[in-house]
């Protein structure tokens, strides 16, 4: 059974780059998309983007100019980078396996943007 | 983008009673609809996919129904561990979108 464990910096200043990594245990990258989702009181659950085993990516159009999702198959990890963050990017960020629906999810990382 | 609208925002239910949650899509999503449960401080947990198929280890007290634009999640005989926030999500059209959630609270 696939399990996800994520980590990354939780406090950033405006204009910095958010960087999170998600490790995949008990499975391989083949056959699924690997997604990042965020959750804030203002916007609820918001899909950010995804990557598949061959490195093909899809991003939410509203974030596309600032987002990069990459994978490291040798480490069974995939990562999220979001540039030029503002207070509006404050949220809990989740990684998740995406096969249409999302299952399972990582434990979540609270990211706060504050000067 | 498909907009998912959940109702009610908050549902007050007594333990042992039934809860019925609604989710409406702004256009048809056929049966490509999932439900999640989220407890405080935890990630969402998949309950239902394909509108009516229970996820792994999800008890039979949870059932989903509907197709097209109208969907229902029913929780029979609410237990203390069932009080949480529930979200629907469509995956028929890109980008996949979530509803705003229904909080099921103890009456």
């Amino acid at each position: 059974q696939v399990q996800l464990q994520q980590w990354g910096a939780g406090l950033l200043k405006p204009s910095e780059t958010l960087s999170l990594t998600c490790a995949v245990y008990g499975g391989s990258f083949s056959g699924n998309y690997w997604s990042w989702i965020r959750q804030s009181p203002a916007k609820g659950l918001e899909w950010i983007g995804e990557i598949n085993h061959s490195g093909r990516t899809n991003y939410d159009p509203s974030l596309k100019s600032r987002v990069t999702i990459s994978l490291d198959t040798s480490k069974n990890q995939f990562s999220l980078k979001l540039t030029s963050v503002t207070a509006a990017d404050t949220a809990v960020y989740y990684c998740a396996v995406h096969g249409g629906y999302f299952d399972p999810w990582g434990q979540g990382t609270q990211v706060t943007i504050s000067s | 983008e498909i907009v998912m609208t959940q109702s009610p925002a908050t549902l007050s239910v007594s333990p042992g009673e039934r809860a019925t949650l609604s989710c409406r899509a702004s256009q048809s999503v056929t049966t490509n609809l999932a439900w999640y449960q989220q407890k405080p401080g935890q990630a969402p947990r998949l309950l239902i996919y394909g509108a009516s198929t229970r996820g792994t280890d999800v008890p039979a007290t949870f059932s989903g129904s509907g197709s097209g634009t109208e969907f229902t999640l029913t929780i029979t005989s609410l237990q203390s561990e069932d009080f949480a926030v529930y979200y629907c999500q469509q995956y028929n059209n890109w980008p996949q979108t979530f509803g705003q959630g229904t909080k099921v609270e103890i009456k």
Side-chain angles (χ1 to χ4, degrees), chain B residues 21-84:
Chain B
L21 289 66
S22 295
C23 174
R24 174 177 293 179
S26 60
Q27 65 188 76
S28 177
V29 298
T30 64
T31 56
N32 292 318
L33 189 287
W35 289 94
Y36 301 86
Q37 176 193 66
Q38 187 176 33
K39 297 179 181 179
Q42 297 184 15
R45 169 201 177 196
L46 177 70
L47 292 177
I48 301 285
Y49 63 93
S52 61
T53 302
R54 279 189 297 277
T56 303
D57 296 329
V58 176
T61 51
F62 292 90
S63 63
S65 63
S67 65
T69 62
E70 300 284 344
F71 299 89
T72 300
L73 174 69
T74 301
I75 314 169
T76 57
S77 188
L78 272 157
Q79 306 299 308
S80 57
E81 61 268 26
D82 300 330
F83 292 95

Side-chain angles (χ1 to χ4, degrees), chain B residues 6-23:
Chain B
Q6 293 185 241
S7 61
T10 304
L11 186 61
S12 298
V13 185
S14 299
E17 291 189 340
R18 171 192 296 254
T20 302
L21 289 66
S22 295
C23 174

Side-chain angles (χ1 to χ4, degrees), chain A residues 8-20 65-68 79-86 89 93 111-113:
Chain A
L11 180 61
L12 296 172
K13 292 181 168 53
S15 80
E16 292 185 334
T17 296
L18 179 157
S19 181
L20 298 174
S65 64
R66 298 193 292 129
V67 173
T68 302
S79 298
L80 168 71
K81 290 191 186 301
L82 180 66
T83 62
S84 304
V85 297
T86 69
D89 296 311
Y93 286 74
V111 177
T112 302
I113 313 300

